[in-house]
């Protein structure tokens, strides 16, 4: 099939997905399934093979992400209920003072974004931020923006969040490089979107607040877990993943130490260990009963069931693209376009994100399209992970879940939502891409 025709049918499938979502309010799972079947038929996948492709698509994502998503939800629940999140916020803010409050809140946002689903991190952080804004007598949006900037970037760029984990797997990227280059990418983005934007954004002090957020009932400081435990638990997966990659070349691929570190540093096992640590220190050690722990775990899983299945359904379209060789066709097409492959990957992901309103789905779908570019153009897989991740974290429209969560939480107008949420996401995304391009120049 001609490259233009392959690309046309993929775009047509995305249009069907958007129309079903927005106009007919079809649930994401059904719209993703219908769009995937449509594209599969139009690009010539045999009818007898389509069901297999669907099973492979859902299974590939479910197999990689199911436990990670479940464990992430459980960790977030225990951090919230125990006051660990409050402890992190209180400690960082106490050391930052008013002058560096924005930087401290960005740090909190990044930690929460890495450790929890974005929506969970947002809903946990915002009551803390609103309380701090009142106490410090600072316009609330000047503190909301840096916190949200940190959460969105931490969630989009770093494992063990679902999007980055799926991209690392799809591109066979080195996880240590993703973390190292990711830190280089995130710092300028945090500064531009989290520090400069609130400083120069017109009218930020006068954005009215009709918030549905109620001040949090702070837990007695004497009953809070220690800061060390509170901050260690969400960082356990990152520490174990990096340790596994560092030990491998030092101890040798076949050594027992490497095998143990490789097992403990896998996304699933590292998240399991972090979950057990959270249950022990934030549950059992604080007097929680076995029934209480079971209730927390069950409630966490039920709350993220929809997210898990929607993300898994996003793998259908990705698998269709892979099995139909549409990605190879697009590589042929892009080889004649005078743009960097990183820009092309970013554009593809950003368009899918804008159209579908799903960051993880956009990253997973885009992975099937852009993966062949890595070998064709001899690209660094870790940088491609970050380019796609930045594309999945771009400006969104009024039907995006993050957009609506931001707007409705603070009760602000559509215009003010675009001016704040929209701009911070766009700056995040563009500056992040710029840093990926800069790093790629130094790496040759």
């Amino acid at each position: 099939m001609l490259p233009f025709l392959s690309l046309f049918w993929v775009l047509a499938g995305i249009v069907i997905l958007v129309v079903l979502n927005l106009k007919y309010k079809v649930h994401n799972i059904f719209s993703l399934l219908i769009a995937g079947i449509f594209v599969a038929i139009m690009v010539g996948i045999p009818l007898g093979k389509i069901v297999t492709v669907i099973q492979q698509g859902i299974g590939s994502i479910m197999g990689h992400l199911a436990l990670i998503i479940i464990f992430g939800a459980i960790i977030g629940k225990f951090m919230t209920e125990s006051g660990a999140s409050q402890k992190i916020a209180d400690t960082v803010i106490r050391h930052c003072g008013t002058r560096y409050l924005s930087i401290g809140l960005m740090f909190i946002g990044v930690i929460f974004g890495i450790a929890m689903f974005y929506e969970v991190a947002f809903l946990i952080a915002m009551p803390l931020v609103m309380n701090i804004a009142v106490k410090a007598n600072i316009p609330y949006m000047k503190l909301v923006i840096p916190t949200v900037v940190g959460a969105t970037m931490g969630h989009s760029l770093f494992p063990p969040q679902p999007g980055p984990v799926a991209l690392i797997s799809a591109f066979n990227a080195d996880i240590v490089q993703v973390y190292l280059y990711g830190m280089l990418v995130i710092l300028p983005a945090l500064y531009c979107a989290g520090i400069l934007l609130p400083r120069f954004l017109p009218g930020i002090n006068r954005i009215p607040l009709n918030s549905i957020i109620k001040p949090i009932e702070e837990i007695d400081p004497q009953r809070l877990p220690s800061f060390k435990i509170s901050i260690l638990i969400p960082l356990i997966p990152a520490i174990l993943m990096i340790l596994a990659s560092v030990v491998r070349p030092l101890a040798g691929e076949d050594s027992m130490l490497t095998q143990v570190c490789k097992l403990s540093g896998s996304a699933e096992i590292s998240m399991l260990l972090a979950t057990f640590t959270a249950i022990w220190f934030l549950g059992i050690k604080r007097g929680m009963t076995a029934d209480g722990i079971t209730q927390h775990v069950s409630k966490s899983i039920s709350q993220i069931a929809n997210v898990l299945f929607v993300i898994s359904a996003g793998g259908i379209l990705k698998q269709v693209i892979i099995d139909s060789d549409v990605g190879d066709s697009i590589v042929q097409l892009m080889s004649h376009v005078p743009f960097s492959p990183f820009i092309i990957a970013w554009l593809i992901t950003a368009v899918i994100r804008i159209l579908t309103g799903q960051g993880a789905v956009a990253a997973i779908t885009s992975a099937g399209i852009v993966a062949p570019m890595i070998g064709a153009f001899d690209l660094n897989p870790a940088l491609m992970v970050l380019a796609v991740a930045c594309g999945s974290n771009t400006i969104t429209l009024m039907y995006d879940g993050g957009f609506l969560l931001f707007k409705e939480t603070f009760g602000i107008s559509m215009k003010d939502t675009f001016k704040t949420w929209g701009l911070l996401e766009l700056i995040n995304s563009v500056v992040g891409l710029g840093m990926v391009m800069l790093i790629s120049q130094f790496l040759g």
Side-chain angles (χ1 to χ4, degrees), residues 259-328:
Q259 297 304 312
V260 170
C261 289
K262 190 174 180 181
L263 175 65
S264 63
S266 64
E268 293 84 354
I269 301 301
S270 63
M271 287 292 285
L272 175 63
L273 294 174
T275 301
F276 284 161
T277 306
I279 290 173
W280 176 257
F281 284 104
L282 305 182
I284 295 172
K285 292 281 284 183
R286 295 172 58 79
M288 188 176 291
T289 64
D291 286 342
I293 291 171
T294 300
Q295 288 176 9
H296 274 38
V297 171
S298 299
K299 190 171 183 180
S300 303
I301 295 173
S302 66
Q303 289 173 338
I304 52 86
N306 183 67
V307 174
L308 173 59
F309 283 107
V310 168
I311 292 175
S312 298
I316 297 171
L317 197 53
K318 182 205 77 168
Q319 194 66 40
V320 168
I321 291 168
I322 292 173
D323 282 24
S324 64
D325 295 326
V326 173
D328 293 328

Side-chain angles (χ1 to χ4, degrees), residues 7 10 14 318 321-322 326-328 330-331 348 352 364-373:
L7 180 58
V10 172
I14 294 172
K318 182 205 77 168
I321 291 168
I322 292 173
V326 173
D328 293 328
I330 293 173
V331 168
I348 291 171
I352 297 173
I364 292 166
T365 304
S366 179
I369 299 174
V370 306
M373 293 184 186

Side-chain angles (χ1 to χ4, degrees), residues 72 81 83 86 99 130 180 203 214 220 256 261 307 329 333 363 370 417 432:
E81 297 295 328
Q86 179 185 322
R99 184 177 180 183
M130 300 300 284
L180 292 178
K214 294 184 170 38
D220 181 354
M256 179 58 70
C261 289
V307 174
S329 299
L333 185 63
V370 306
T417 308

Side-chain angles (χ1 to χ4, degrees), residues 59-122:
S60 65
I61 301 303
M62 188 76 78
H64 279 296
L65 301 182
L67 290 177
I68 296 170
I69 291 173
I70 290 170
F71 293 149
I74 296 170
I75 292 170
K77 181 71 171 175
F78 276 90
M79 288 189 66
T80 307
E81 297 295 328
S82 67
S85 300
Q86 179 185 322
K87 183 66 176 182
I88 293 172
D90 289 348
T91 304
V92 171
I93 291 158
R94 186 172 64 251
H95 285 82
C96 289
T98 304
R99 184 177 180 183
Y100 300 106
L101 202 49
S102 295
I103 296 174
L105 288 171
M106 278 195 298
F107 171 76
I108 292 169
V110 171
I111 296 298
F112 285 10
I114 293 174
M116 312 170 199
F117 288 114
Y118 172 73
E119 291 81 3
V120 176
F122 181 91

Side-chain angles (χ1 to χ4, degrees), residues 176-205:
V176 172
Q177 290 186 13
V178 172
Y179 275 113
L180 292 178
Y181 298 151
M183 291 304 299
L184 297 177
V185 167
I186 198 175
L187 290 176
L190 292 176
Y191 178 75
C192 292
I195 303 297
L196 295 183
L197 177 61
R199 190 176 297 172
F200 297 108
L201 190 64
I204 188 173
N205 295 346

